[in-house]
Amino acid sequence: MNFELYQRVALNRNLEEYQLKKGDVATLIDFVPHPSNGEQGCVLEVFNATGESIAVVIVPISDIKPLRNHEILSVRSLAEI
């Protein structure tokens, strides 16, 4: 799958250390090559509902998916994890 910089994506898994859940939306801000030719990584910035940055995380590219037209965004409390 081809991703573009600044594309909004959804997480494919929980990131409990950041209180993020599968399905949370983030913005892809950079790509990171694996140091020994493993899976490429990506840098994501996560924003709260009012647009404030709450986390910057690096995950393998397989941990994200593109947003689809048939999906809908929702709001949850960060303390719910």
Side-chain angles (χ1 to χ4, degrees):
M1 171 138 309
N2 290 334
F3 291 99
E4 296 182 19
L5 290 179
Y6 309 111
Q7 177 180 354
R8 291 193 321 167
V9 297
L11 293 175
N12 273 333
R13 69 175 177 95
N14 292 348
L15 299 176
E16 293 180 10
E17 62 273 28
Y18 299 101
Q19 295 183 297
L20 299 173
K21 288 186 173 184
K22 179 178 180 177
D24 284 350
V25 175
T27 301
L28 193 158
I29 58 173
D30 205 359
F31 294 101
V32 182
H34 192 279
S36 57
N37 294 328
E39 182 179 7
Q40 182 179 28
C42 54
V43 180
L44 306 176
E45 187 166 10
V46 183
F47 298 89
N48 67 13
T50 60
E52 297 170 344
S53 179
I54 59 169
V56 175
V57 300
I58 299 173
V59 298
I61 204 157
S62 62
D63 282 356
I64 63 172
K65 68 177 195 110
L67 300 180
R68 307 272 189 221
N69 288 338
H70 67 276
E71 297 171 324
I72 188 166
L73 301 177
S74 68
V75 177
R76 68 172 182 83
S77 173
L78 197 56
E80 286 181 5
I81 197 133

